[in-house]
Amino acid sequence: MLSRRETILSSLKAATALGLAASSPLGTLLAGNAAAQAASPVAGLPYGAAVRDGPLDQEADYRAALVRHCSQIVGEGGLKWYDLRPTREQFVYTAPDKHMAFATAHGMTLRGHTLVWYGAMPDWTKSIASASEAERLLVGHIEAVMGRYRGRIKSWDVVNEAIPDDPASRSDIRPSIWQQRLGESHIALALRTAARVDPGAQLVINEYDIEFVGARFRRKREAFLRLIRDLKLRNVPLHAVGLQGHLRGELAIDKEGLSAFIAECRAMGLAVLVTELDVIDDKLPGPPEVRDILVASRVYDFLDAIRVAAPLDSILTWGITDKHTWVPIYFKRTDGFINRPLPLDAAYQPKPMMQVIAHFLRDRR
Ligand code: XIL
């Protein structure tokens, strides 16, 4: 295995090979002295990761990495309808209770993900036939689930991915059983219910694909902003915008567009969280050293664009190690190299992406 120094040197060589000037902000950051990048460069900072049950139960290295690096965690699953509500009557809290116990035992906090999402819905929800039935179920779900963790889960992705991939207009909302039965009002209903059930919780609306250069992403940003503005105008309780940050290795960050979007959110009094950061790397060159620099560079651009307009209060990655990541489920590489979307490699060694995250969290305003 490469030593820490060798890893840094090989990253630097790759950076030079890529034309990343040693004097560029990322070049300077990666060249920074190794002592400053101690074993856990994010220890004590508001960094966290999504956790997966298999390795959490079975792998001591995985648990150790979480304990060493994270001050918060979120379940990759567990609180999704599919996991919690196998039938209309049942609530299965095994996974979230376990996540809460792990977090508490190690002085971490647990985020809640998620109450309203089109995805991971159990089949039985297709039989929700009327607006009144939908309202009863949605409100009952939020009362039960948020109620159980009241005062303990302090930040919730109440609404996840409400905007379609390519919105037809600024008022386009992604289809879901909630949208079909209740229209857009299901979003305000969920947020109002959440505020009533746990008035102390931070209520978040979470979204992806709003940070890239391109017309489709601009339209998605605009539709997202339209929805947020509308909620705030109507005094619907909403405290933060969650940027998932599933970055695409091949797509440049629209730094101006993203900063402008964030500035608008800040002007409405909203906090900004990074909730699911990773870099989907199936279209990047294979060699790991080169790929790791390109990945770190996307993360740098993304966090830099946010920081221009808002304090970076919290960054979570969607997993902590390349060993356990959702990315190959949908974006597996075809050249035999494994995906490397996360801050630790498959042997739990920090990669340049970790240094970038640490840098932005250390310097947060
Ligand atoms: C993903 C999980 O990582 C997978 O394990 C699961 O099969 C599907 O969901 N955006 C989200 C997350 O908000 O809930 C998704 O998580 C990834 C994309």
Side-chain angles (χ1 to χ4, degrees):
M1 201 198 294
L2 291 183
S3 74
R4 178 104 195 99
R5 187 179 152 71
E6 283 166 335
T7 311
I8 291 170
L9 285 177
S10 81
S11 310
L12 277 176
K13 269 193 228 143
T16 315
L18 285 165
L20 186 78
S23 60
S24 72
L26 178 61
T28 313
L29 171 62
L30 296 179
N33 83 46
Q37 303 147 13
S40 174
V42 287
L45 298 171
Y47 167 74
V51 299
R52 192 173 269 194
D53 292 321
L56 192 61
D57 293 340
Q58 288 150 26
E59 255 194 69
D61 283 358
Y62 180 82
R63 288 190 296 271
L66 295 171
V67 170
R68 179 173 204 169
H69 297 282
C70 297
S71 60
Q72 44 179 338
I73 55 170
V74 58
E76 208 179 319
L79 287 168
K80 293 172 178 173
W81 277 69
Y82 186 87
D83 302 320
L84 262 181
R85 308 286 307 265
T87 65
R88 197 180 269 262
E89 295 73 30
Q90 264 179 307
F91 287 81
V92 180
Y93 289 109
T94 324
D97 279 357
K98 192 174 59 189
H99 301 162
M100 180 56 82
F102 182 80
T104 308
H106 298 288
M108 305 168 184
T109 54
L110 176 68
R111 293 201 70 243
H113 176 82
T114 176
L115 297 164
V116 180
W117 189 29
Y118 79 95
M121 290 295 277
D123 265 350
W124 65 264
T125 55
K126 288 185 189 145
S127 69
I128 300 172
S130 65
S132 61
E133 189 189 349
E135 177 163 346
R136 211 168 44 243
L137 268 163
L138 186 58
V139 169
H141 182 84
I142 295 173
E143 285 173 347
V145 180
M146 268 189 97
R148 182 182 182 91
Y149 299 103
R150 183 174 16 238
R152 295 190 293 155
I153 292 185
K154 297 190 170 67
S155 177
W156 273 98
D157 294 331
V158 179
V159 179
N160 196 34
E161 305 183 348
I163 307 297
D165 281 340
D166 194 356
S169 74
R170 285 189 190 198
S171 49
D172 207 1
I173 296 290
R174 193 188 281 271
S176 67
I177 193 70
W178 313 119
Q179 169 68 5
Q180 278 145 8
R181 298 291 173 263
L182 296 165
E184 187 175 321
S185 73
H186 76 277
I187 295 175
L189 174 68
L191 288 161
R192 290 202 165 104
T193 306
R196 171 168 59 74
V197 175
D198 189 349
Q202 178 188 53
L203 308 183
V204 183
I205 186 161
N206 202 36
E207 195 49 86
Y208 70 101
D209 264 7
I210 57 155
E211 54 271 330
F212 306 120
V213 171
R216 171 159 87 78
F217 305 110
R218 182 176 42 73
R219 286 197 291 273
K220 186 152 179 178
R221 217 160 39 230
E222 286 168 359
F224 192 31
L225 195 55
R226 195 284 307 162
L227 172 61
I228 294 167
R229 257 199 211 112
D230 194 72
L231 292 167
K232 293 306 286 181
L233 272 172
R234 292 189 294 129
N235 278 324
V236 175
L238 172 67
H239 309 121
V241 170
L243 300 175
Q244 291 187 356
H246 292 294
L247 306 184
R248 299 287 193 124
E250 75 281 13
L251 296 180
I253 304 293
D254 184 343
K255 293 180 80 174
E256 260 176 42
L258 180 56
S259 298
F261 167 83
I262 305 250
E264 297 262 7
C265 294
R266 292 292 296 158
M268 290 184 270
L270 296 167
V272 178
L273 317 177
V274 175
T275 53
E276 306 186 15
L277 183 60
D278 56 16
V279 182
I280 297 168
D281 62 340
D282 57 326
K283 301 207 168 59
L284 292 180
E289 304 79 7
V290 175
R291 197 144 32 103
D292 288 354
I293 298 295
L294 294 172
V295 161
S297 153
R298 289 293 185 227
V299 171
Y300 191 100
D301 286 350
F302 177 62
L303 298 179
D304 203 27
I306 298 171
R307 185 182 49 180
V308 167
L312 269 166
D313 293 331
S314 167
I315 299 178
L316 289 102
T317 50
W318 203 241
I320 192 165
T321 163
D322 295 336
K323 188 172 181 186
H324 302 293
T325 153
W326 75 301
V327 169
I329 307 174
Y330 302 103
F331 308 95
K332 196 175 164 66
R333 296 186 64 91
T334 51
D335 59 2
F337 281 113
I338 65 157
N339 295 90
R340 299 175 67 88
L342 287 167
L344 303 182
D345 70 13
Y348 295 99
Q349 296 306 303
K351 296 163 28 188
M353 176 176 177
M354 187 62 111
Q355 284 170 250
V356 172
I357 292 171
H359 166 77
F360 280 95
L361 286 178
R362 239 185 264 122
D363 285 6
R364 70 190 189 282
R365 295 177 279 143

